[in-house]
Amino acid sequence: MNRASGVLMHISSLPGEYSIGSFGKEAVEFIDFLSDSGFSLWQVLPFCMTDECNSPYKAYSSFSGNPFFIDLPTLYKEGLITKAELDAAKQKSPYLCEFSRLNEERIALLKTASARVGDRKKILDFMSEHPYLDNTARFLSLREANGETPWQEWTKTEPDADTLFAWQFIQYKFFEQWQYIKAYANGKGISIIGDIPIYVATDSADVWSNPSQFLLDKRNQPTSVAGVPPDYFSEEGQMWGNPLYNWNAMKKDGYAWWCDRIRYMLTLFDGVRIDHFRGFESFWSVPKGAKTAKEGKWVKGPGKALINKIREVAGDKLIIAEDLGDITPAVSELLDYSKFPGMRVFQFAFLGDENSPHLPHNYTNNCVAYTGTHDNNTLLGYVWELDGDTRMTALEYCGGYEDDWNVGCEKIMRTMLASHADRVIFPIQDIFVYGSDTRMNTPGTSENNWAYRITEEQLKNVDTNKLRRLNKLYSR
């Protein structure tokens, strides 16, 4: 393995003029920034459609693309939207995703574009070749036909033909535009790492079309739901609410749905991170109707049988195991068996003793080290909020205490680049050395998450020469 480094930033956080980051020229410019800075990895969050809280970890379909990432100027150049429609879609602020406006206006605009398609054959052929995407389009169009109610309440069984094609067009355009961006990145020596949420939403195409693969009652409602016990992020634990897999049923068909999911993701990305890997060993099952996640219990997962299938499908592609949280010897044994690199997070380094796997001197080669993840505070915010003694220890560990915490953050990043970890990845906020007001997500909360965006000016103010020197200095 060649030592490598990269940046964690979702597509939604890219600059642009249309309320959210997209697969437009700004994505190309960000790839140029990565290349100029000596990075070779770009990690993103899940690409699927988001839920009502704008979270990409609870979606209407695992096999889907977020329509908001479709680049409008490209559609204008193709003659699918007018100049007036393009101008009307311009944002009011460049600093945050304008989710309310997107939810009210963007799908309608994309439907208008779909109605202007002359020859539909290419799109329909693409759907025939990608049945999971066609299934997603059918689910979403049926959901509209049934007044946007959950699928368990549907009475209409046939979608409107124009609505169905609109969703087929949306998914086609998403993947057409993304393939251009990915090819450009690969041509510049940048590999893209995607993200697979371990669970899916109850109201999703996944559960609607495969109910036997999930633990549901006679009304197709979950008998128990996913979550995690009390941890670093929440004293009450986290009640995610996703339906749990029927692992016995999945085992009987050779984990076909999971194999299809991994195979599909590896057509989109050069590697993927599997969220909540420990759920494959044991998962936290919360009874239906429980008031908090504390009422749950650990239940054995599929273990090595599923890992074997994932390795078979993935081949030599990168699979990152998110092994954070309550990690038992059994989880560590499964990770060792998988040979997948686990995750190390600097912000967890000083929560335990000198044996903490998150201390850089304890990193193995086969891991991916992060200053923080999308669920953490920014690095500067973390240093700012530490108690005085822990802050002193953390900064001393990385080369000496500094009253200027910006310098302290740079020393932390240098320490990680110098570590044995094969791969080191920094959230874009840590590249900018920004504070906690720019964090992406605060677990256990449903407000003010996922909206962070960067601007072109902020990106241009980064010293790419300095970053390139650091990556070269530490053989990244």
Side-chain angles (χ1 to χ4, degrees), residues 312-327:
E312 180 182 323
V313 171
D316 61 356
K317 292 288 188 71
L318 172 66
I319 304 290
I320 301 172
E322 188 267 283
D323 57 337
L324 307 175
D326 185 5
I327 303 304

Side-chain angles (χ1 to χ4, degrees), residues 159-232:
D160 173 77
D162 289 337
T163 302
L164 175 59
F165 178 74
W167 281 109
Q168 291 170 328
F169 164 84
I170 287 168
Q171 292 302 308
Y172 174 82
K173 279 298 174 185
F174 177 97
F175 289 98
E176 179 185 59
Q177 290 189 4
W178 171 243
Q179 289 301 334
Y180 172 81
I181 296 300
K182 182 179 180 295
Y184 184 82
N186 291 164
K188 298 280 286 191
I190 307 296
S191 296
I192 312 287
I193 301 173
D195 198 330
I196 301 180
I198 186 172
Y199 294 119
V200 301
T202 303
D203 188 20
S204 67
D206 307 293
V207 183
W208 167 67
S209 57
N210 300 282
S212 65
Q213 304 271 311
F214 300 86
L215 296 177
L216 307 176
D217 62 21
K218 292 180 180 179
R219 297 182 300 112
N220 288 316
Q221 296 294 335
T223 55
S224 52
V225 298
V228 289
D231 60 9
Y232 171 82

Side-chain angles (χ1 to χ4, degrees), residues 13-25:
S13 295
L14 282 166
E17 297 184 86
Y18 301 96
S19 299
I20 195 169
S22 74
F23 300 145
K25 66 179 182 63

Side-chain angles (χ1 to χ4, degrees), residues 35 50 69 72 128 157 207 256 276 289 300 325 351 372 374 419 426 439:
S35 178
T50 59
F69 296 168
L72 297 185
S128 297
T157 57
V207 183
H276 199 58
K300 280 292 181 183
L351 296 176
H374 64 274
S419 74
F426 304 119
R439 71 181 291 170

Side-chain angles (χ1 to χ4, degrees), residues 207-395:
V207 183
W208 167 67
S209 57
N210 300 282
S212 65
Q213 304 271 311
F214 300 86
L215 296 177
L216 307 176
D217 62 21
K218 292 180 180 179
R219 297 182 300 112
N220 288 316
Q221 296 294 335
T223 55
S224 52
V225 298
V228 289
D231 60 9
Y232 171 82
F233 293 111
S234 174
E235 293 181 358
E236 295 293 320
Q238 296 176 49
M239 182 94 76
W240 293 342
N242 309 77
L244 295 170
Y245 296 110
N246 185 339
W247 288 118
N248 290 330
M250 287 189 160
K251 182 178 181 179
K252 289 178 182 178
D253 67 10
Y255 303 99
W257 183 87
W258 266 99
C259 290
D260 288 344
R261 191 181 187 192
I262 297 294
R263 192 176 294 112
Y264 157 78
M265 293 294 287
L266 290 174
T267 65
L268 288 178
F269 306 108
D270 300 298
V272 293
R273 184 194 84 126
I274 299 179
D275 184 56
H276 199 58
F277 175 87
R278 71 102 59 240
F280 292 154
E281 192 284 319
S282 293
F283 55 92
W284 191 248
S285 175
V286 184
K288 182 179 179 181
K291 292 182 179 179
T292 73
K294 289 195 292 187
E295 298 177 48
K297 63 179 181 179
W298 291 112
V299 179
K300 280 292 181 183
K304 293 178 181 178
L306 178 59
I307 298 304
N308 290 338
K309 287 293 185 179
I310 292 174
R311 290 197 306 192
E312 180 182 323
V313 171
D316 61 356
K317 292 288 188 71
L318 172 66
I319 304 290
I320 301 172
E322 188 267 283
D323 57 337
L324 307 175
D326 185 5
I327 303 304
T328 64
V331 178
S332 297
E333 180 185 350
L334 185 64
L335 181 62
D336 289 343
Y337 175 82
S338 74
K339 301 295 192 294
F340 302 152
M343 291 176 58
R344 301 294 179 265
V345 180
F346 184 84
Q347 292 188 34
F348 300 152
F350 299 95
L351 296 176
D353 57 25
E354 67 275 7
N355 295 316
S356 169
H358 298 286
L359 282 165
H361 70 266
N362 291 328
Y363 292 169
T364 62
N365 293 129
N366 190 35
C367 75
V368 185
Y370 300 78
T371 43
T373 72
H374 64 274
D375 282 334
N376 287 100
N377 202 342
T378 66
L379 183 59
L380 180 60
Y382 160 78
V383 172
W384 179 277
E385 294 177 11
L386 284 175
D387 65 83
D389 289 343
T390 306
R391 184 188 304 119
M392 179 77 76
T393 300
L395 295 180

